[in-house]
Amino acid sequence: MKLHDINIEDYNYPLPAERIASHPLAERDECKLLVRDGQGVITDHLFTDLPGLLEPDSMLIYNNTRVINARVRFRKTSGALIEVFCLEPVQPADYERSFASTDGCSWLCFVGNSKRWKDGELQLEVSVADGTTVVLTAVREQKRGNASVVRFSWDAAAGVTFSQIIDAAGEIPIPPYLNRGTEETDSSDYQTVYSHIEGSVAAPTAGLHFTPRVLDGIDASGIVRRELTLHVGAGTFQPVKTATVNEHEMHSEFISVSRELIEELARTERRVIAVGTTSVRTLESIYHLGCMAAAGMPLDEVGQWYPYDDNHPRLSRKEAMEALAAYLDKAGMDRLVASTRIIIVPGYEFKVVEGMVTNFHQPSSTLLLLVSAFTKGDWRAMYTHALDGDYRFLSYGDASLLL
């Protein structure tokens, strides 16, 4: 069977609503940890055991993205409530510059109650943390598929940044499958302890289990820690609605990786352990970007099916990373910034990642396809074990370590 023809129904399983964790544990690192070793043997642990479960020569790589208060609600003079969900910056397109804007910026947004906002301005009075008050104005500029480009503007004289505005006016966009509204505790619960680069509209949830004491234990074990950035898009919640994977269109996500990490990946003999599927997607994507660099291709985006292309050069990890480092040298860049639409399905050959920490994912999702690819199709035994063992599922649920 061709990879494109994988039937998504083969990756379905019954997930009772009561097994979906609506909140994290009071001590987030005391959740359960299912460990599946390279021979498929499954054992049960607590997340606090993680430092002792990893080999001392491991390199733990995690996603440092920070979830923004992406959901902003405006009320029209008619009383209609319009929800604007910020997805990604359009002008300026760079995340850092957009958040630093002090007069206006445009974002691609989902618009809730869209029919009630066909034209005209929406306005919202916003008081930021230092007490300064500005009026945020939103204008719908154009449609892009099922989203819209929205122009935000405010008084430049106030010296307030867009980051300050959405931090004050918006709310954390928790996953829809939690079936509840955002609560005050989500502001901290839905962030990793190492998040510091703003841009995601969903958390890299495998990282939610980490605490300072777990990180201290990792350091004490001789394991090195590194970070990268993938800004998680709303598409991460998008279920596969087509019968086969070939018909599913992956969403594009922003990635940023330092030249230093790329060089280290070229020469390290440490075992690379990725925290979360976002880190897996980023690490595997930079391998393919290295192959694209070696082939003289533009490095704007890793296409959904590029890893499976017959013309792919199939370089070693070292060769790909060296090609990528050479490309950055030539361009005078110390950081790789690109996008990825990579889809990792059973049959994919992992080039960088040798272990991953991840949660338990939704049925019939691309994330479950990724787990199946990593476990050589043996995902169902894990999930059956977790369901029988009273594990908690999805974003605020328990964790697994796959080796």
Side-chain angles (χ1 to χ4, degrees):
M1 181 179 66
K2 294 180 179 179
L3 298 179
H4 294 45
D5 297 331
I6 290 171
N7 190 333
I8 194 61
E9 188 58 31
D10 293 339
Y11 298 86
N12 198 358
Y13 69 93
L15 178 59
E18 62 270 19
R19 304 305 293 277
I20 300 173
S22 58
H23 296 87
L25 298 179
E27 297 293 334
R28 61 168 76 184
D29 60 6
E30 292 183 359
C31 68
K32 293 183 178 183
L33 176 67
L34 180 152
V35 177
R36 180 192 183 276
D37 69 16
Q39 287 69 50
V41 177
I42 295 171
T43 52
D44 300 304
H45 301 266
L46 294 179
F47 198 81
T48 48
D49 299 332
L50 182 66
L53 294 168
L54 298 176
E55 296 294 333
D57 65 348
S58 297
M59 177 187 292
L60 190 76
I61 304 179
Y62 49 76
N63 186 0
N64 61 17
T65 188
R66 186 167 182 82
V67 184
I68 62 172
N69 288 5
R71 184 178 282 122
V72 183
R73 292 185 170 94
F74 294 82
R75 191 169 293 278
K76 296 186 67 175
T77 53
S78 64
L81 186 66
I82 309 296
E83 181 179 290
V84 178
F85 190 124
C86 298
L87 298 174
E88 61 183 57
V90 175
Q91 183 58 42
D94 177 80
Y95 279 86
E96 188 173 349
R97 289 174 57 211
S98 187
F99 286 127
S101 297
T102 55
D103 58 352
C105 55
S106 296
W107 279 64
L108 186 67
C109 305
F110 287 145
V111 177
N113 203 10
S114 177
K115 292 180 180 179
R116 303 295 297 272
W117 185 32
K118 294 182 179 178
D119 52 34
E121 297 180 343
L122 299 178
Q123 291 193 328
L124 178 67
E125 188 173 283
V126 181
S127 294
V128 301
D130 66 1
T132 304
T133 299
V134 296
V135 175
L136 177 66
T137 299
V139 176
R140 203 171 178 182
E141 294 187 322
Q142 58 177 283
K143 287 276 289 179
R144 285 193 187 177
N146 61 347
S148 297
V149 176
V150 175
R151 178 70 185 175
F152 298 103
S153 59
W154 59 97
D155 184 3
V160 174
T161 66
F162 187 61
S163 177
Q164 291 176 288
I165 287 173
I166 61 168
D167 190 52
E171 63 181 45
I172 288 283
I174 61 170
Y177 48 64
L178 294 185
N179 292 316
R180 65 170 175 81
T182 300
E183 299 171 5
E184 187 175 342
T185 54
D186 291 314
S187 295
S188 56
D189 288 345
Y190 202 57
Q191 301 281 9
T192 64
V193 295
Y194 44 69
S195 66
H196 63 96
I197 304 295
E198 290 184 307
S200 280
V201 300
T205 54
L208 297 180
H209 309 291
F210 285 84
T211 59
R213 69 171 169 178
V214 171
L215 295 175
D216 287 346
I218 287 167
D219 293 342
S221 297
I223 298 161
V224 301
R225 294 190 281 129
R226 300 291 183 264
E227 58 184 52
L228 44 71
T229 304
L230 180 144
H231 289 324
V232 189
T236 194
F237 299 132
Q238 182 181 345
V240 181
K241 297 180 179 179
T242 57
T244 61
V245 177
N246 185 46
E247 299 167 297
H248 178 75
E249 183 177 350
M250 285 293 287
H251 52 290
S252 179
E253 291 177 311
F254 168 97
I255 61 176
S256 175
V257 182
S258 69
R259 182 184 181 282
E260 184 178 9
L261 178 56
I262 291 166
E263 286 188 326
E264 191 169 6
L265 289 170
R267 64 176 186 268
T268 188
E269 295 183 2
R270 288 180 175 268
R271 191 179 201 186
V272 176
I273 310 294
V275 177
T277 56
T278 61
S279 296
V280 173
R281 283 166 49 78
T282 305
L283 289 166
E284 294 298 315
S285 292
I286 62 174
Y287 161 78
H288 295 293
L289 285 163
C291 292
M292 292 164 65
M297 298 170 62
L299 303 192
D300 49 354
E301 184 173 83
V302 180
Q304 178 167 333
W305 295 107
Y306 175 68
Y308 313 94
D309 194 304
D310 290 339
N311 295 319
H312 193 294
R314 311 276 184 253
L315 303 178
S316 68
R317 182 174 82 185
K318 184 175 187 294
E319 290 170 334
M321 297 302 168
E322 287 177 344
L324 199 49
Y327 169 87
L328 294 175
D329 281 346
K330 186 175 181 180
M333 300 162 59
D334 61 4
R335 176 165 290 274
L336 171 72
V337 175
S339 298
T340 183
R341 290 183 184 271
I342 190 175
I343 185 168
I344 296 178
V345 300
Y348 178 86
E349 183 181 350
F350 287 83
K351 291 293 190 178
V352 181
V353 176
E354 296 160 281
M356 74 173 80
V357 177
T358 189
N359 286 10
F360 294 93
H361 304 292
Q362 293 185 84
S364 304
S365 64
T366 57
L367 303 183
L368 188 54
L369 287 170
L370 185 153
V371 169
S372 180
F374 193 79
T375 59
K376 308 297 185 185
D378 193 32
W379 68 272
R380 198 174 290 276
M382 290 170 45
Y383 276 61
T384 298
H385 181 96
L387 287 166
D388 291 345
D390 204 31
Y391 278 70
R392 303 159 78 244
F393 279 59
L394 307 187
S395 294
Y396 280 147
D398 295 314
S400 64
L401 170 63
L402 314 180
L403 299 170

